[in-house]
Amino acid sequence: MQVGEAALEVSGAGVTYPGVRALQGLDIDVRAGEVHAVIGHNGSGKSTFVKLLAGQCRPTQGTRIRVAGEELPPQSPLESARLGLRFVHQDLALVPSQSVTENLGLSVGLGVRGLKRIDWRAEHAAARSRLAELGYAVDPKALVGELSRSTRSAVAVARALRDFVGSPARVLVLDEVSAAMTAPEIARLLEMLARLRATGLGILYVSHHLEEVLQTADRVTVLRDGVRVTTSSAHTLTGAQLADLIIGTEQAHKLREGRAAEPGERDLATGQSRHTGAAFTVTALSGQILRDISFQARSGQIIGVAGIAGSGREELAELLMGSVPRKGSVLIDGAELPPSRPDLSVRYGMALVPADRSSNAVIPTLPVRDNMTLARLSPFWRRGWLSRRSEAKEVSAWIERLSIRGATVDGAVSTLSGGNQQKVMVARALRTRPRVLILDEPTQGIDVAAVADIHAIIREVAETSAVIILSSDSDELASLCSEVLVLRAGRVAAQLADSDVMSAAIMRLELAGGAGSLVQGAESEARQ
Ligand SMILES: Nc1ncnc2c1ncn2[C@@H]1O[C@H](COP(=O)(O)OP(=O)(O)OP(=O)(O)O)[C@@H](O)[C@H]1O
Ligand SMILES: [Mg+2]
């Protein structure tokens, strides 16, 4: 296939769910050797488009998809793969407790020699060389769960490209693979994509990170409410223009003027003064990776925690919450939280927005209403009855305030797009107005308009609560926090305060002290 030839041609593509037109009349093409980015607000239809290509949902009439000139029949995952479409979904679908080699063998089975024996030496060598082709030096015996996010994404890409060895990959589709990656990890991912593009592969890249899109993509298609707004060359667009295209001019105006809308019932309405002067003290906290972490936060403060994969950042939220064993002490207003009792941590006033909503937070069988309110129902008790009406009022105010698209008070949470589910989780924690609020990757997968909104609400909550934010996004930390702890190899490597809290400084400190170079960093990670 020649660079520049159409690898994928889509016309008139549509998908309708009961009551929702998720995608409508979409025309888009991806050329060989091109990165074509697809962006849009939460619920705009990006993942639906990806699923359509994968044969996982039913197209409306008039949908036409051709791969390298061949027609792709509807709802046929096998044909999709045979014609050359390959996918890496946001959750990567890897098994953390298995080795790199085992993960690479997942979909085709490992090569066998003789009758049943696996030739591990050959398999490991093949795995190593596949990843080397992608620019990653990785020990094939390493467990996937121990790798950095960018290395894991490389394993997922290697696996996607390996499937169906008999037919060549023509278009690689990546759906929000960079979510929760730190800047250096994203840089490595983009490097890998550049290599793949140079081989003539077409790449369809779904992301919420506008800078990364402008840096990587040749062309950008913007979706809004399931309809294509524009397709343009990435080289002629600025980040601000892109943001306006995503949210629409009207919304953009609203955003600039700042939003005055208030969520429904405020906790302060209960008239309790328990919010004044929350104090959070952590002393000599240790877990699996983290050693001897101490810090304090008062209400009115937003403390950030930065650190690359393996720094221990991922472990901190659960340690603070008490859901994994810890050493050291955690105090709220002088009262020590008993270890291993997350339920009591909640009772003492701690709330957590966990990073992995699918396994930690969203309860798919319950409607939006219960997912949002189950952490605190007290405002809805009226003389012994649960007031479903006042609950509904507050839930719908949050839906409005965070623009949770597709959500209704009693609608299913499982049919919401990824970013919109994340908004429900954020609302669940924010509405409890906790004394200590811990947010782990709060805006992961969230569109540009809602990020601004969530940041505004976090600032508001911080007026009366102590807030701790764990984030891989150093810009996010720099814009919100008065103080940032940078973790490295399980310890607090640096503590930035006030005017020293800057994105570039955070990034430098996340890496400094290691071997310096990213590639060496990756090798030492692989040797673990
Ligand atoms: N199985 C389903 N049943 C009903 N509606 C659905 C289903 N899956 C998705 N939707 C709806 O289709 C719309 C598009 O969702 P989609 O997941 O494609 O959004 P997205 O652009 O990927 O958003 P995000 O950035 O949040 O991941 C949303 O309104 C969503 O609620
Ligand atoms: Mg999506």
Side-chain angles (χ1 to χ4, degrees):
M1 175 146 258
Q2 295 281 317
V3 167
E5 264 180 60
L8 172 70
E9 297 157 282
V10 175
S11 67
V15 173
T16 304
Y17 296 113
V20 189
R21 280 198 177 159
L23 202 63
Q24 212 181 338
L26 176 65
D27 299 331
I28 188 172
D29 66 290
V30 178
R31 300 172 192 145
E34 170 191 51
V35 177
H36 194 145
V38 176
I39 61 175
H41 60 67
N42 296 129
S44 57
K46 303 178 298 292
S47 296
T48 300
F49 176 49
V50 170
K51 285 181 199 146
L52 179 66
L53 294 176
Q56 291 167 356
C57 63
R58 191 155 57 104
T60 49
Q61 242 186 1
T63 300
R64 199 152 171 237
I65 302 172
R66 298 197 307 161
V67 186
E70 266 195 75
E71 200 85 29
L72 173 68
Q75 292 184 286
S76 172
L78 281 175
E79 273 302 282
S80 166
R82 192 190 65 82
L83 291 179
L85 300 182
R86 300 298 146 82
F87 301 87
V88 178
H89 297 285
Q90 181 177 357
D91 59 5
L92 304 182
L94 297 169
V95 183
S97 59
Q98 291 195 335
S99 71
V100 169
T101 303
E102 285 166 316
N103 269 280
L104 284 183
L106 281 180
S107 40
V108 281
L110 293 166
V112 286
R113 193 169 62 176
L115 259 185
K116 271 206 182 85
R117 288 183 60 83
I118 293 169
D119 184 350
W120 282 107
R121 201 171 337 153
E123 288 296 332
H124 287 319
R128 186 190 292 278
S129 86
R130 270 169 207 286
L131 282 153
E133 279 166 32
L134 297 174
Y136 283 78
V138 180
D139 175 0
K141 293 178 193 158
L143 298 185
V144 161
E146 290 168 356
L147 303 174
S148 72
R149 283 179 213 268
S150 83
T151 311
R152 268 183 260 166
S153 75
V155 174
V157 166
R159 192 185 62 190
L161 295 177
R162 190 192 164 169
D163 290 358
F164 300 91
V165 213
S167 73
R170 300 195 191 276
V171 178
L172 176 65
V173 183
L174 303 129
D175 191 355
E176 281 194 62
V177 169
S178 67
M181 279 188 192
T182 57
E185 288 174 336
I186 292 175
R188 295 208 69 205
L189 171 76
L190 299 186
E191 233 172 77
M192 168 170 71
L193 296 186
R195 273 172 191 251
L196 290 170
R197 163 168 53 189
T199 68
L201 195 68
I203 296 171
L204 193 74
Y205 191 69
V206 176
S207 171
H208 282 292
H209 296 156
L210 307 188
E211 281 145 52
E212 154 194 332
V213 160
L214 290 176
Q215 197 186 325
T216 325
D218 300 290
R219 288 188 296 159
V220 184
T221 290
V222 179
L223 299 183
R224 201 189 303 148
D225 298 325
V227 176
R228 187 178 65 139
V229 178
T230 180
T231 296
S232 28
S233 156
H235 311 296
T236 58
L237 277 172
T238 67
Q241 287 169 327
L242 207 48
D244 281 358
L245 287 168
I246 291 169
I247 59 193
T249 344
E250 224 174 277
Q251 269 260 0
H253 275 296
K254 216 161 117 195
L255 203 65
R256 281 197 204 94
E257 285 162 12
R259 289 217 181 160
E262 282 294 306
E265 278 195 356
R266 297 277 301 262
D267 188 58
L268 297 176
T270 60
Q272 295 184 12
S273 59
R274 62 186 186 109
H275 283 288
T276 48
F280 187 50
T281 313
V282 175
T283 314
L285 183 70
S286 298
Q288 293 275 354
I289 300 176
L290 290 175
R291 287 280 169 272
D292 204 19
I293 306 295
S294 301
F295 65 92
Q296 295 191 352
R298 288 174 276 105
S299 57
Q301 260 187 330
I302 306 181
I303 308 281
V305 181
I308 59 171
S311 65
R313 175 169 56 84
E314 290 101 329
E315 192 185 41
L316 185 60
E318 296 203 307
L319 280 180
L320 293 175
M321 202 64 196
S323 42
V324 294
R326 69 177 175 221
K327 291 213 184 82
S329 67
V330 179
L331 281 74
I332 295 182
D333 300 329
E336 179 157 3
L337 305 186
S340 305
R341 288 296 300 272
D343 55 327
L344 292 184
S345 303
V346 171
R347 190 97 58 83
Y348 277 73
M350 194 185 277
L352 168 68
V353 179
D356 184 354
R357 67 175 164 265
S358 54
S359 57
N360 290 333
V362 170
I363 303 170
T365 50
L366 290 179
V368 170
R369 174 204 289 265
D370 304 73
N371 266 287
M372 213 182 272
T373 61
L374 50 74
R376 197 177 69 102
L377 287 167
S378 50
F380 310 124
W381 288 103
R382 298 273 185 279
R383 279 180 266 131
W385 290 92
L386 197 58
S387 166
R388 297 291 276 179
R389 202 184 314 151
S390 64
E391 184 191 51
K393 208 169 126 213
E394 193 199 316
V395 170
S396 94
W398 279 103
I399 291 174
E400 166 94 5
R401 177 147 200 214
L402 295 182
S403 318
I404 310 183
R405 278 166 209 266
T408 54
V409 173
D410 291 302
V413 78
S414 54
T415 63
L416 297 183
S417 75
N420 284 314
Q421 292 189 11
Q422 174 73 3
K423 291 180 194 173
V424 174
M425 290 304 97
V426 171
R428 178 200 287 178
L430 291 179
R431 64 171 287 283
T432 66
R433 305 247 151 195
R435 295 185 70 65
V436 177
L437 174 62
I438 301 164
L439 302 132
D440 199 352
E441 302 287 359
T443 55
Q444 154 186 0
I446 286 189
D447 66 50
V448 46
V451 166
D453 249 338
I454 286 174
H455 283 177
I457 302 172
I458 290 173
R459 287 197 183 94
E460 201 182 296
V461 172
E463 287 168 16
T464 48
S465 314
V467 177
I468 319 289
I469 297 190
L470 288 60
S471 177
S472 52
D473 182 346
S474 54
D475 289 329
E476 172 162 68
L477 294 177
S479 81
L480 284 174
C481 304
S482 57
E483 210 176 302
V484 173
L485 309 181
V486 183
L487 301 178
R488 213 161 55 212
R491 295 181 183 271
V492 177
Q495 202 155 351
L496 298 170
D498 305 318
S499 58
D500 293 335
V501 177
M502 283 181 298
S503 180
I506 295 170
M507 280 196 263
R508 213 171 321 114
L509 287 164
E510 281 177 331
L511 297 172
S517 127
L518 285 174
V519 173
Q520 283 176 11
E523 274 165 358
S524 64
E525 163 194 282
R527 261 185 262 115
Q528 278 175 4

